[in-house]
Amino acid sequence: METVLTVKDLNIQFTKDGEVTKPIRGVTFHVNKSEILGIVGESGCGKSVTTKAVMGLLPKKSSQITQGEILLGEQRIDQLSDKEMQHIRGNTISMIFQEPMTSLNPVFTIGQQLSEPLKRHQKMPKKERRTTIINALRSVGIPRADEIIDEYPHQLSGGMRQRVMITLALLCNPDILIADEPTTALDVTIQAQILRLLKALRQEREMSIVMITHDLGVVAELCDRVIVMYAGNVVEEALINDLFDEPLHPYTQGLIRSLPNNNERKSRLYSIEGNVPKVTEQMLGCAFANRCEFATEKCVNSAPPTVVNGNHKVRCWLLTEDGVMA
Amino acid sequence: MTQEIILSVKNLKTYYEIKQGMFKPNKVIKAVDDVSFDVYKGETLALVGESGCGKSTIGRTILNLTQATSGEVLFNDKDLTTLNFNEMRSLRHRLQMIFQDPYASLNPKKTILQIVMEPLKVHDKYKPQERLQKIIEILEIVGLSEYHLERYPHEFSGGQRQRIGIARAVILHPDFIVADEPVSALDVSVQSQVINLMLDVQKQLGLTYLFISHDLSVVQHMTDRVAVMYLGRIVEIATTEELFDNPKHPYTKALLSAVPISHPQEKSNRILLTGDVPSPANPPTGCTFHPRCEFATELCQQQSPSATHFSASHQVHCHLYQEGANELCY
């Protein structure tokens, strides 16, 4: 299978007021052509920082990629200049953000905002742009597209704005679409519409989608393969059915067990005790050790290796040869 | 089954007026339009619906944080909507609220001790020397300790802040708590901790919850009855099991089917609603759901439906089930 995006052993550090924090500590994953990869994790686990690094959107002054590389196909993109990155961004890789309300500019019409990538990347003449945009808006299921093109973002509902954002990301036919929690701010009925749209787009355009979310339901519905992140590390990577049928990392097991649907009604929900460690905390061993019920001394003292079993990768001491999984 | 009614909402209407300019008449938004329901002692009643359907407004109107336009909220044979500020305040120790956003609902300049002490001072409960002991007790119930007393809210994580919000609400031993989306701002692993806490506290202190949420899997897990709202009205109300097993209203069916599946191999019979929720400033005529309903008839466009009772606890507002009409087959 063709790999369109590879992230290898990525380490990122932020410097603020002389204090160094390391939110990403050795993240490795890849995205295949026309697959939907889910990235799951709680807030602060580094899923957004990772994708921002891929897009080259990290603040230059305060952040630094200390180790690792990001490959787009064969090309290394983590060391490109701003100019070169602008060629790729919006053209080969596009991104949809969480908040459709805040990511559109309130003082420009939909048409003005959507013509920007066409001007920039395709040098399309003005007349052609309008018809292209109207067609693109129609293709994501926006009714009255020829009127909406002249309206402002505040005149649209949340679901409509998210569709406009998706149109914006798709205008240049990108190979990869990164969707950062695209349905979190939307109601369930609208979420169902957007998820169906993303599925249909993947089929039509053979596009790869990276879906960042904290909602395991969305993952179950949409993704082919999933990586689970915890405190700046990838703790598990698996095909979707394997992840739900046989989660191997204690954290993934805990997440799946704590879903209300997997617990008896009115009973106490299974819950992972404790809190996510702060990014400023320095850890020798496994970041999950302090919340893990199977943790041993080894887990606290040294970083776990990644155990590979076909498509299923787990970063945990318990699965190494001398470890025993309870 | 006869249960004691703790709070009764009758024909409640809350309208907001929007100024259109000096010479134009004000626009009226019917956030809550003629809603009636009872809450029984010790139960958890859920209000569910999409954003903008008026579920939070009902919660706020019950506690008199928003003035009702008409209708009654009966608590202890008193109509809360007619009480003045002082009378309401003296009742507040029995009616409390847990807010959605744990980051915005705690005063950043106060320590946890001050935050949890405030309701005790306002309501003059316990002797001053006893208060500290009571606060420590309540903090222990919600899973914090004496050690946290002198800290400020920014030092806590989202889940811990929500625990403080719960401690502040339950320290007066209220009878009734309005919980407005208490877990929707939290991460999955922390969400289950807070849900467990709310269930524990309910058991220990015999609380009644009005649980406002849009997360149907949480609602299914922890509530006894559910009221489904659409554009300011309750379209269906039933016990939780009944509602999830046998939804009647086309909107309820669509809403339940939109919930993401919990396992990739699960097949869902999704009813996709087209379009968005109409603006409450300009709601459709008749049954407000008719533009999105696949079974809408002419009658639905003209008349707003009255309640049909399937059983003592299951009511639906839909023309499809009016007396005489045949049961629909899906």
Side-chain angles (χ1 to χ4, degrees), chain A residues 11-81:
Chain A
N11 281 271
I12 296 174
Q13 71 174 37
F14 284 109
T15 320
K16 196 191 167 199
D17 304 330
E19 226 179 287
V20 176
T21 50
K22 292 178 180 161
I24 304 293
R25 290 174 287 237
V27 167
T28 304
F29 68 91
H30 67 278
V31 185
N32 294 324
K33 192 170 166 55
S34 73
E35 86 168 338
I36 304 184
L37 174 77
I39 301 185
V40 195
E42 296 176 83
S43 35
C45 73
K47 51 194 197 302
S48 292
V49 176
T50 309
T51 49
K52 276 193 178 145
V54 171
M55 292 291 284
L57 288 174
L58 287 175
K60 283 260 150 24
K61 270 187 192 159
S62 56
S63 68
Q64 201 191 350
I65 296 178
T66 48
Q67 205 186 330
E69 49 189 61
I70 303 169
L71 298 166
L72 180 66
E74 303 286 305
Q75 184 194 7
R76 204 162 160 194
I77 58 169
D78 52 311
Q79 290 168 330
L80 294 186
S81 68

Side-chain angles (χ1 to χ4, degrees), chain A residues 43 77 89 95 139 171 198 284:
Chain A
S43 35
I77 58 169
R89 213 184 289 142
M95 187 156 178
S139 72
L171 273 173
L198 287 175
L284 281 174

Side-chain angles (χ1 to χ4, degrees), chain A residues 151-194:
Chain A
E151 287 181 4
Y152 289 89
H154 75 265
Q155 291 169 291
L156 306 178
S157 64
M160 282 303 206
R161 280 179 222 176
Q162 199 56 285
R163 279 167 200 264
V164 170
M165 285 302 296
I166 293 173
T167 316
L168 181 62
L170 293 179
L171 273 173
C172 293
N173 275 319
D175 300 334
I176 305 166
L177 177 71
I178 298 177
D180 189 356
E181 310 241 7
T183 58
T184 310
L186 305 175
D187 283 313
V188 276
T189 55
I190 310 296
Q191 169 173 294
Q193 292 173 6
I194 298 284

